[in-house]
Amino acid sequence: LDLRQMGLAFFPREICSLQGMLDLNLSENEMRTIPVDIGSLTCLTKLKLQENLLSKMPACIGNLTNLLSVDISENEFQYLPNEIGNWTKILRFSAAKNSLRELPQTIGNWEELIDLEIQENAFRTLPKTIGKFLKLKKLVANDCEISRLPDEIFDCPVLETFHLDGNQLQEIPHTIWKAHRLQTFTFTSNKVKRLPIEMGKIRKNIKELAMTGNPIIAPPRDIWTKGTNATLEFCQHLLNARTRHEFIYSDRELGSYPIDVELLVDRPPNENGDQGAYGAIKVDLSKNKIRRIPENIGANDSMEVLNLSSNLIASIDAAIGMCSRLTDLDLSRNELSGLPSTLILLTNLTLLKIPENKTISKFPDEFFERVLKLTLLDAEDNRLSEVPPEIKNLTQLTHLDLGRNKITIVPKEIGELEKLRILKIHHNQIQALPSAIGRLMELALFDASDNKLTTVPRNLCRCTKLVECRLDANRITQVPIEMGKLPI
């Protein structure tokens, strides 16, 4: 029966006597109420009531258990009765452009539902039972007021299309990894700041991922603005960090520090053990275009290796001092003019590389009194003007590179570094070497080329393991004859 566009102000009660009717279309009228007699139309399979002035639905409408398709869009409904859960055969339901504040939990009985369209309503969330829709393929919930989604939303095993544009959503549930058939997912113009890295698990299926108009900070903007593939690939990298405990994202033109590398530790395990602390032990972000390291770096206290070489880093937040397990820190080839004072808190450091920053002029105060486990210190090509006598405290040091700086004096305390095997002080302004250098009995390579040396200390001949000694481009006129006994 088709009575659309008839100017009807009331629901014709006579219709309710047509108990064998299958299809009823009363759309585009001016009806305000639905009579309770509608419950007698038990054979009805299609019901179209869109574009009326309806605000209430009688509970007896739950008697229409053969309904396959219902359209009540463009009305004034605020609530729907629990009894609609009796429509267990329903395939399509549209309630768009109403004022609905919630959907009843009973809709979880709609196990045959394929298409659900509820856009332009006043929902703040959706019922948990929505996860029971075993056959749902399309869900449209644009332009509502949804601020939170239940974790169960992605329990729908065959969901392919999900539109959430224009809501107040703050986060995407981490359970999105369950949506193995999801192909289109849009949530533009929301308030999402972080994408769950679990999205990497559905990378092969997603064809469209629209997220513009969100204040997304993770992944970094220069990742997610490149589109679906780049975003999901990044999430996949973070997922791999979960199992390998390392995050390697080198040579990718990354322009900002991906803070979620440190937020790998921010979620407690759920009941299935799917989410938990899995902080990356090794992080390699070398050969990118990162300019600064934010405070979030301190969130990962599991990190032991951090490679930030070959970037454009000009500043590092003091929070790096919270990475107390850090043993290997590579800041080579950046644009640092100084090192954070909190570097002295990294007492487990064994390897520190800061060459080719050009403008680092000194180490933090107390650095040589606190960071005592160093075995390698590379500070080549900077503006260091002195080697502090406290360097004697680095008794585990085997490799020291201070070449291409502005050093004028090498302190006698250098002789305390009994394990030193490699010493590079080339391209400085050093005029003399201390005799204590002869106490470096493990020294195998010594490079003091391109300085202002005029003599070579005789004690250097005591370094019997020395196999390479570079003294060229100095002002030396005479070399001790004992040098001839060295295995150079």
Side-chain angles (χ1 to χ4, degrees), residues 99-119:
S99 300
L100 289 171
R101 297 181 179 275
E102 63 181 24
L103 289 174
Q105 296 284 346
T106 55
I107 66 171
N109 297 328
W110 296 355
E111 294 185 0
E112 300 296 319
L113 192 69
I114 296 174
D115 189 338
L116 177 61
E117 299 187 11
I118 50 175
Q119 64 269 33

Side-chain angles (χ1 to χ4, degrees), residues 124-388:
R124 293 188 179 276
T125 187
L126 297 175
K128 293 181 178 181
T129 52
I130 208 167
K132 296 181 179 181
F133 293 164
L134 301 180
K135 297 182 180 180
L136 185 68
K137 292 185 176 182
K138 182 180 180 181
L139 173 54
V140 182
N142 294 338
D143 300 308
C144 295
E145 298 178 16
I146 299 172
S147 59
R148 179 184 173 278
L149 292 174
D151 290 344
E152 293 82 0
I153 193 78
F154 293 113
D155 286 346
C156 304
V158 296
L159 184 63
E160 296 177 355
T161 302
F162 191 6
H163 294 296
L164 277 166
D165 308 284
N167 280 283
Q168 302 294 317
L169 198 63
Q170 297 183 24
E171 65 178 5
I172 307 297
H174 300 288
T175 51
I176 192 171
W177 64 270
K178 297 179 180 181
H180 297 297
R181 296 193 184 181
L182 192 61
Q183 297 179 15
T184 299
F185 183 33
T186 67
F187 53 97
T188 61
S189 302
N190 275 274
K191 296 181 178 180
V192 177
K193 290 186 176 181
R194 293 185 174 88
L195 303 185
I197 65 174
E198 287 81 2
M199 292 179 71
K201 288 188 176 182
I202 57 174
R203 175 186 173 190
K204 294 182 179 179
N205 302 320
I206 292 278
K207 293 181 174 60
E208 180 185 1
L209 180 65
M211 51 194 161
T212 56
N214 282 279
I216 297 173
I217 58 175
R221 181 178 179 81
D222 48 353
I223 293 294
W224 63 264
T225 52
K226 291 180 180 178
T228 301
N229 290 337
T231 301
L232 297 182
E233 180 189 16
F234 185 83
C235 290
Q236 182 66 54
H237 270 79
L238 285 172
L239 275 175
N240 292 339
R242 170 180 290 182
T243 54
R244 297 199 309 256
H245 294 276
E246 65 179 26
F247 179 71
I248 300 175
Y249 207 76
S250 179
D251 201 9
R252 301 296 187 96
E253 297 188 351
L254 188 65
S256 55
Y257 188 82
I259 64 173
D260 263 17
V261 173
E262 298 350 300
L263 295 177
L264 291 174
V265 296
D266 74 342
R267 295 191 300 278
N270 64 15
E271 58 185 8
N272 299 319
D274 294 325
Q275 304 162 11
Y278 53 95
I281 294 175
K282 177 181 179 180
V283 175
D284 185 349
L285 295 168
S286 59
K287 300 179 182 178
N288 281 292
K289 296 181 179 180
I290 299 170
R291 293 186 177 276
R292 61 177 295 270
I293 304 303
E295 63 180 352
N296 308 74
I297 193 171
N300 186 357
D301 60 2
S302 300
M303 187 163 54
E304 297 177 7
V305 178
L306 177 58
N307 187 350
L308 296 171
S309 62
S310 301
N311 276 280
L312 303 172
I313 299 169
S315 66
I316 299 176
D317 194 271
I320 195 171
M322 298 173 64
C323 302
S324 56
R325 297 187 185 182
L326 206 58
T327 61
D328 184 346
L329 176 58
D330 192 345
L331 298 171
S332 309
R333 296 177 294 282
N334 277 286
E335 298 180 1
L336 292 169
S337 59
L339 298 171
S341 60
T342 52
L343 204 65
I344 66 174
L345 301 178
L346 304 181
T347 55
N348 286 309
L349 268 186
T350 58
L351 308 175
L352 177 60
K353 305 159 195 169
I354 56 171
E356 298 183 50
N357 276 278
K358 308 294 185 183
T359 56
I360 296 176
S361 60
K362 66 176 183 177
F363 288 92
D365 294 342
E366 299 184 30
F367 177 82
F368 294 104
E369 298 170 7
R370 302 281 294 275
V371 188
L372 305 180
K373 295 182 180 180
L374 281 178
T375 60
L376 181 149
L377 176 57
D378 186 352
E380 183 186 14
D381 201 2
N382 280 287
R383 289 186 179 178
L384 298 172
S385 59
E386 64 176 353
V387 181

Side-chain angles (χ1 to χ4, degrees), residues 379-408:
E380 183 186 14
D381 201 2
N382 280 287
R383 289 186 179 178
L384 298 172
S385 59
E386 64 176 353
V387 181
E390 289 81 11
I391 199 169
K392 67 180 181 180
N393 297 320
L394 306 186
T395 55
Q396 303 302 311
L397 207 58
T398 62
H399 185 137
L400 177 60
D401 190 343
L402 299 173
R404 298 184 186 279
N405 278 281
K406 297 183 179 298
I407 298 169
T408 56

